[in-house]
Amino acid sequence: MSDSTVALAEPNSAFGKYHFLLRRLHSLSGIIPIGLFVCVHLFTNAQMILHTLFGVNPATGESYFQHEVNFIHAMPALELIEYALWASIAFHAVLGFVYIFNSKWNTTQYKYEANYRYTMQRVTGIIAIIFIFFHIATLRWRWDIGGFWYTPFWGHGGELADNSTIGMGDMKHVPMSLPYTAYALQFHWVVLAFYVVGVLAAIFHWANGLWTAAITWGLTITAASQKRWGVVCWALGIGLTFAMTAALIGAMTYNFKDMTVDQKTVFTHVLPQDQVTRFLGEGVTKADFPLEAIMEKAEH
Amino acid sequence: MSTKTFKVKVKRQDEAASASYWQTFDVDYTPNMNVISTLQKIAAKPVTADGKDVAPVVWDCGCLEEVCGACTMVINGRACQACSTLVDELLEENPVIQIEPMSKFPVVRDLWVDRSRMFNNLKRIKGWVPTDGTYDLGAGPQETQEEQDLRYAYSRCMTCGCCLEACPQFTKDNDFMGAQSFAQTDYFNSHATGKLLADERLDVIMGPGGISDCGNSQNCVQVCPKELPLLTAIASVGRQATIYSIKRFFTGKK
Ligand code: HEM
Ligand code: SF4
Ligand code: SF4
Ligand code: FES
């Protein structure tokens, strides 16, 4: 038979020339910038359960979790880190989709455990990118999705629902991290379900990715070593699942009555009255928390 | 006198460019048949179950003892060798035996496929040991039993294509080389004399369609009829590629 039956990519095309490099950068971008970040992020969030367990720190009047958030916000070059993360996620996701379209899943025919994980690696990658997008869109860019999935707070402060002349910048000193996360999750079960699915997908994707990466880079050469490393990756995945569970319990059990007076001021002025009633009880209104007090503090 | 028969459903295709279609045949049963002898019976009496005279089914074979790989086809959904697949075992799982050509290689006719993509890849990775010289090269170096065992396992590959048929990364319209090429790369790169061409092999294996396109589904090792240690082959070529790319980066070659 002639050679013409063999389809060969153009080795001199940009994709061909840097083929190996791109593939290895894809692997690296998954392990270090994105993967390590997801790991640290889950660990930090797990500390939301500290509020459920220990309440507020009597010294500062803040939740213990807030301490961790303040730590992240105080990190040097935070914006640089944020852009670097975006760049690696975009790079990893774009190449990920190229790879997905260049292959053909076949779990219906070949029902092997590793083959299911191969397919799951691709499915969870797609779920993860959808989840990450909505997660950031709602918590960071403050999008309102379907009227039930949104976060009415911006960064550390809040924006006022009424037409007050006070801008959100004026309330930047009021830490809202735990209340806003808890609010987003407690608002509707759909949000909670999406978080569970999205975070589990990301955890599986990273843990299984670490397992395949050890083959990709040639660390685990024998079947026995791949099995051993698989146990380590499973343990990591289970550990991160515990961290996720702790974070969700923390957010779901958060009692908004524990908020500081400043936080309650932001909360009542930002949210519609029915939500204020739902989370702070009958009869509480924004009139109980005058904005002036908060403004005075901001000036000092 | 009634003889026992069984049904065989064959996926047929008249020529490379034409569409495929299914035909069912009733085949007389005799004990200890394999799929090749089944196909021989169909060739001797090419009449479908509904009585239509048709052209005999075409297939490829060579050794008839599972060492050449030529008779590889998809039988009851699994890629395997027609010569070593036994009818009695197939009838135990299903009363109708279903036979199709491999789906990842171009069909020449009926069950006969063109496996030249694999042979071309063997040429590309220089699947040989360079022994020709103008003088006697002398005896080869000593090898440990362990090295010999691994390479003996690699040497069993019969270029059948089962590993590629089952591979989710290997499709008709991409250029992935697949586990068979990686195993042979490790085979020759781990040979004391074959090593002389190791860098040239890695240059190819690190290009498009090479080792970095493997998605680690490990189907290949599950289906390989010769039980090649393909997990080791893939990871070991990955390791060689890692080391070689660092070396190449710092020595400035290319
Ligand atoms: C939560 C964020 C993500 C993390 C932590 C992550 C991490 C990883 C890791 C560590 C690998 C293993 C690389 C290797 O085997 O060498 C990997 C592979 C992969 N990722 Fe991601 N990834 C993420 C998001 C995504 C997204 C959004 C997509 C796009 C749909 C994606 C698609 C893929 C694909 C297709 C592979 C398999 C590549 C291959 O085996 O050739 N990932 N990922
Ligand atoms: S491990 Fe790699 S070569 Fe083997 S079947 Fe999976 S993708 Fe194909
Ligand atoms: S590695 Fe195994 S399945 Fe693949 S071509 Fe060789 S013998 Fe066949
Ligand atoms: S005829 Fe050689 S393997 Fe079947």
Side-chain angles (χ1 to χ4, degrees), chain A residues 1 3 5-9 19-20 23-24 102-104 106 109 112 114-115 118 212 215 217-221 226, chain B residues 77 114 116 120 124 166 168-169 174-175 206-208 212-213 215-219 222-223 231-232 235 238-239 242:
Chain A
M1 283 296 126
D3 290 10
T5 51
V6 183
L8 287 181
H19 189 86
F20 184 78
R23 277 283 197 172
R24 287 292 167 97
N102 226 335
S103 63
K104 209 162 164 255
N106 58 13
Q109 211 177 343
Y112 308 120
N115 197 28
Y118 167 93
T212 58
I215 302 171
W217 294 83
L219 296 175
T220 49
I221 290 209
Q226 291 177 15
Chain B
D114 174 8
S116 48
N120 279 320
R124 289 177 65 204
Q169 296 286 108
N174 69 18
D175 58 356
M206 286 161 63
S212 60
D213 285 0
N216 296 309
S217 72
Q218 306 197 333
N219 286 354
Q222 297 276 359
V223 298
L231 300 189
T232 298
R239 176 181 287 188
T242 304

Side-chain angles (χ1 to χ4, degrees), chain A residues 31 38 52 65 97 113 128 171 176 200 208 248 265 273 280:
Chain A
I31 305 168
V38 169
T52 311
F65 170 66
F97 276 108
E113 187 265 341
M171 296 199 281
M176 292 300 288
L200 280 180
N208 190 56
L248 291 179
T265 309
Q273 182 59 42
L280 289 178

Side-chain angles (χ1 to χ4, degrees), chain A residues 118, chain B residues 163 166-169 176 178-179 182 214-220 234:
Chain A
Y118 167 93
Chain B
C163 55
C167 173
Q169 296 286 108
F176 185 46
F182 306 147
C214 167
N216 296 309
S217 72
Q218 306 197 333
N219 286 354
C220 47
I234 291 165

Side-chain angles (χ1 to χ4, degrees), chain A residues 189-212:
Chain A
W189 66 267
V190 170
V191 178
L192 175 67
F194 197 68
Y195 265 78
V196 173
V197 172
V199 179
L200 280 180
I203 292 173
F204 176 91
H205 192 88
W206 192 48
N208 190 56
L210 287 182
W211 182 78
T212 58

Side-chain angles (χ1 to χ4, degrees), chain B residues 4-222:
Chain B
K4 195 180 148 200
T5 64
F6 59 96
K7 283 205 187 314
V8 182
K9 207 176 146 199
V10 183
K11 191 176 191 179
R12 308 204 52 180
Q13 183 171 331
D14 297 341
E15 54 189 271
S18 62
S20 61
Y21 55 94
W22 290 91
Q23 274 177 353
T24 306
F25 299 89
D26 284 319
V27 178
D28 291 343
Y29 174 85
T30 49
N32 303 324
M33 288 172 79
N34 60 31
V35 172
I36 294 283
S37 62
T38 305
L39 291 170
Q40 284 170 333
K41 287 199 180 195
I42 294 175
K45 198 180 75 170
V47 181
T48 62
D50 42 17
K52 216 166 76 193
D53 280 337
V54 293
V57 176
V58 174
W59 76 92
D60 193 9
C61 67
C63 66
L64 297 180
E65 54 178 0
E66 204 192 87
V67 287
C68 76
C71 68
T72 307
M73 47 191 79
V74 177
I75 302 168
N76 281 2
R78 282 187 310 269
C80 53
Q81 282 64 52
C83 66
S84 56
T85 303
L86 302 177
V87 165
D88 289 331
E89 286 172 15
L90 292 174
L91 290 178
E92 260 169 43
E93 48 179 59
N94 204 325
V96 182
I97 296 175
Q98 182 174 307
I99 311 178
E100 324 159 54
M102 282 197 282
S103 65
K104 304 280 179 82
F105 297 92
V107 171
V108 180
R109 186 169 173 182
D110 292 340
L111 303 172
W112 173 21
V113 297
D114 174 8
R115 291 178 298 136
S116 48
R117 179 167 165 184
M118 277 190 287
F119 301 114
N120 279 320
N121 283 339
L122 282 181
K123 286 188 233 164
R124 289 177 65 204
I125 61 147
K126 298 189 173 20
W128 55 78
V129 173
T131 52
D132 291 344
T134 51
Y135 59 95
D136 184 359
L137 295 171
Q142 296 253 311
E143 306 229 5
T144 65
Q145 189 62 40
E146 207 181 329
E147 288 166 337
Q148 290 176 37
D149 287 347
L150 179 67
R151 277 218 320 286
Y152 178 70
Y154 285 150
S155 77
R156 292 190 304 238
C157 176
M158 56 182 176
T159 328
C160 65
C162 287
C163 55
L164 308 178
E165 175 69 17
C167 173
Q169 296 286 108
F170 187 96
T171 66
K172 250 183 183 167
D173 40 42
N174 69 18
D175 58 356
F176 185 46
M177 298 169 90
Q180 167 253 350
S181 298
F182 306 147
Q184 296 312 300
T185 301
D186 202 28
Y187 178 48
F188 290 106
N189 278 8
S190 59
H191 184 279
T193 315
K195 263 195 189 91
L196 295 173
L197 298 177
D199 286 0
E200 288 170 53
R201 290 193 191 99
L202 291 174
D203 280 333
V204 173
I205 221 76
M206 286 161 63
I211 186 69
S212 60
D213 285 0
C214 167
N216 296 309
S217 72
Q218 306 197 333
N219 286 354
C220 47
V221 75
Q222 297 276 359

